[in-house]
Amino acid sequence: MDTITNALQAVRQRIKQAAEAAGRKPDSVQLLAVSKTFGADTVREVHAAGQQAFGENYLQEALDKQALLRDLPLQWHFIGPIQSNKTRPIAQHFDWVHSVEREKIAQRLNEARDVHVPPLNVLVQVNVSGEASKSGVNPAEALTLARQIAALPRLRLRGLMAIPAPTDDVAEQRAAFQQLKTLFDQGRSQGLEWDTLSMGMSHDLEAAIAEGATMVRVGTAIFGARH
Ligand SMILES: *Cc1c(COP(=O)(O)O)cnc(C)c1O
């Protein structure tokens, strides 16, 4: 087997073991392969090894790649920062957006989403404590933004996403993920019908799964170091 197929299987194995350790079913955690900086041929290879969902951070890079991969039934997730002048192509060329942090952006995505395709799946990005990048809505405002999104007909609110500050301390990793999970449960108890908690990357997916992640976003552990 080639390296990338082995790497994909190793990640699937890590997900399965983490789920079982947490008393969860392995298929309750989806894998999003984060392909930023890697070319269409590499995505094709990972797809051939059984992966359908891919995440991209940079719009133009993603559109170029998608154009070369039209023959494949891939699911595309936009996970990077969103500039308001890029909402139209994002709404047109992706199935999911993980990084909505303002109502204005949500409204623009809603207006741009074609009425002939299913609604755009949307996650609210939350700035959980200690986040270095400062992206995402304040936790105290996350459920308000979520309710605004739930009211937009061309968007389908699916849940929450976060990128906690990287740390090797597993207790710290778990504390940040638990904060997001608590918010997620709160939203549910207030009537939000969402099902997706996007948290955990190459270095901390075990902690995220232990705290309830339903989708992990993994780049390096599948594709290798980014160039
Ligand atoms: C790059 C990126 C990832 C993947 O990170 P790895 O550490 O390479 O697994 C996940 N989520 C987001 C939002 C990213 O930008």
Side-chain angles (χ1 to χ4, degrees), residues 17-129:
Q17 280 173 358
E20 282 166 356
R24 303 180 52 196
K25 291 188 187 143
D27 69 1
S28 68
V29 185
Q30 293 173 55
L31 172 60
L32 180 66
V34 177
S35 45
K36 62 175 179 237
T37 80
F38 293 93
D41 289 346
T42 311
V43 171
R44 195 173 282 281
E45 217 182 313
V46 174
H47 171 262
Q51 177 67 25
Q52 228 115 55
F54 291 87
E56 291 281 340
N57 293 57
Y58 311 108
L59 178 63
Q60 194 53 53
E61 179 194 336
L63 297 180
D64 292 346
K65 232 174 274 187
Q66 289 172 352
L68 296 167
L69 295 165
R70 288 213 196 291
D71 56 310
L72 300 182
L74 303 181
Q75 186 184 75
W76 291 100
H77 296 231
F78 192 82
I79 62 174
I82 306 172
Q83 295 168 266
S84 58
N85 63 339
K86 300 285 168 61
T87 44
R88 179 161 296 276
I90 290 172
Q92 287 173 337
H93 294 277
F94 287 83
D95 304 292
W96 288 67
V97 176
H98 291 223
S99 41
V100 174
E101 53 176 34
R102 284 193 286 143
E103 187 186 16
K104 176 87 187 305
I105 294 289
Q107 285 169 343
R108 292 179 66 105
L109 290 169
N110 179 64
E111 281 157 24
R113 184 68 170 181
D114 193 318
V115 294
H116 303 293
V117 298
L120 184 63
N121 296 292
V122 166
L123 303 176
V124 171
Q125 183 174 352
V126 182
N127 185 359
V128 292
S129 63

Side-chain angles (χ1 to χ4, degrees), residues 7 15 40 51 56-57 74 88 100-101 122 125 156-157 162-163 167 169 189 191-192 203 206-207:
I15 292 171
Q51 177 67 25
E56 291 281 340
N57 293 57
L74 303 181
R88 179 161 296 276
V100 174
E101 53 176 34
V122 166
Q125 183 174 352
R156 182 173 169 207
L157 176 70
I163 316 170
T167 169
D169 182 335
S189 70
L192 291 171
H203 66 287
E206 282 84 2

Side-chain angles (χ1 to χ4, degrees), residues 147 150 185-194:
R147 279 187 288 271
D185 290 343
Q186 233 170 10
R188 235 187 214 165
S189 70
Q190 294 175 14
L192 291 171
E193 289 173 16
W194 54 19

Side-chain angles (χ1 to χ4, degrees), residues 132-221:
S133 73
K134 294 278 187 280
S135 287
V137 64
N138 197 309
E141 289 152 22
L143 297 183
T144 301
L145 177 57
R147 279 187 288 271
Q148 290 163 343
I149 292 170
L152 296 170
R154 302 305 303 144
L155 304 185
R156 182 173 169 207
L157 176 70
R158 298 297 295 265
L160 299 172
M161 180 274 239
I163 316 170
T167 169
D168 291 333
D169 182 335
V170 175
E172 273 178 40
Q173 292 173 1
R174 288 190 60 158
F177 293 136
Q178 193 185 44
Q179 204 191 335
L180 198 68
K181 167 71 161 143
T182 299
L183 209 46
F184 182 75
D185 290 343
Q186 233 170 10
R188 235 187 214 165
S189 70
Q190 294 175 14
L192 291 171
E193 289 173 16
W194 54 19
D195 57 9
T196 303
L197 206 41
S198 166
M199 58 187 196
M201 317 201 300
S202 293
H203 66 287
D204 57 11
L205 67 88
E206 282 84 2
I209 290 169
E211 294 298 339
T214 69
M215 194 182 288
V216 292
R217 309 177 309 270
V218 179
T220 313

